Amino acid sequence: MLVNYVRTVLASLNVDKRAVTAIEYALIAALIAVVIIGAVTQLGSGVKSTFYNVASEL
């Protein structure tokens, strides 16, 4: 009887893995967003300094 209960509980843990996959995709999307934000910030700083250099030469 206890063995059947343990089997039932362990079987119910492996039923739905969609939530785990969704969490993994969310973490990957968050990592990509952080990388994009960092790249845009660095690119924006470079463009800003270039415009300041051009403005000062005029």
Side-chain angles (χ1 to χ4, degrees):
M1 185 143 125
L2 180 61
V3 174
N4 289 335
Y5 176 73
V6 171
R7 283 183 186 165
T8 305
V9 170
L10 291 177
S12 69
L13 292 176
N14 290 328
V15 171
D16 191 14
K17 293 188 178 186
R18 290 178 292 178
V20 175
T21 304
I23 291 171
E24 289 172 351
Y25 283 137
L27 289 173
I28 291 169
L31 179 62
I32 291 171
V34 167
V35 169
I36 289 173
I37 290 170
V40 168
T41 302
Q42 289 295 337
L43 181 65
S45 298
V47 170
K48 183 178 179 180
S49 69
T50 302
F51 278 116
Y52 280 144
N53 289 340
V54 169
S56 65
E57 294 293 324
L58 296 176

